[in-house]
Structure formats: structure tokens, C-alpha cells
Amino acid sequence: MIEIAFSPSFKRAFRRKIRGQPYLQTKFWQKVKIFQENPFDGRLRTHKLSGKLQELWSFSVEYDVRIIFYFASENKAIFIDIGTHDEVY
């Protein structure tokens, strides 16, 4: 199981974009649970980023809601941003 930590920037983005939207909050926690079990589950569409974000990874919560993260170790991921495609890339 993967341990997850939330960066301060992720917490701010989460408050602005997700909190107060019950449907998105529910989807977020469902996807986090899947991520903890297997970060490369096909339902997440996890992929490595390129260019200036080449050290980071992304997975989808909804069609246009993405989480940006990196692996701090083999069993730990740090979430650093959440938002639409245009907001996080």
C-alpha cells in the first residue's frame, strides 16, 4: 500500500477547487483509495509527465480533474497539485 502525503500547495488547491463540491470530493477519495492499492491501476490513467514537469506524474480523478504527484520513495507519494488540465500543466 502506498502512503500519501499532501503538500501545502496541494492543500490550498484542494480547498479552492474541490471542497464544497460533494460529488468531486467523493470521486477524489475513491480514486485515492485505488491509488493507494495500485498507483498504476488503469482506471487512474497514471502517466509520467514530460518537459518542465518531467520529474512528476499525473492521474485522473475525473475527465478534466488531475492530480500531480511524485514518488518520494517506493512506498510514498506526495500530491502537489489538483485541478483541470490547463490549471496543473
Side-chain angles (χ1 to χ4, degrees), residues 19-54:
R19 189 182 288 166
Q21 298 186 52
Y23 173 75
L24 272 180
Q25 275 189 277
T26 300
K27 289 295 281 187
F28 169 79
W29 290 112
Q30 288 171 349
K31 296 293 177 116
V32 166
K33 185 175 180 177
I34 294 167
F35 181 87
Q36 287 180 306
E37 295 298 322
N38 177 6
F40 298 101
D41 187 298
R43 294 172 285 181
L44 299 174
R45 298 190 313 248
T46 304
H47 61 281
K48 185 131 175 64
L49 302 178
S50 59
K52 64 180 181 169
L53 302 175
Q54 68 185 3

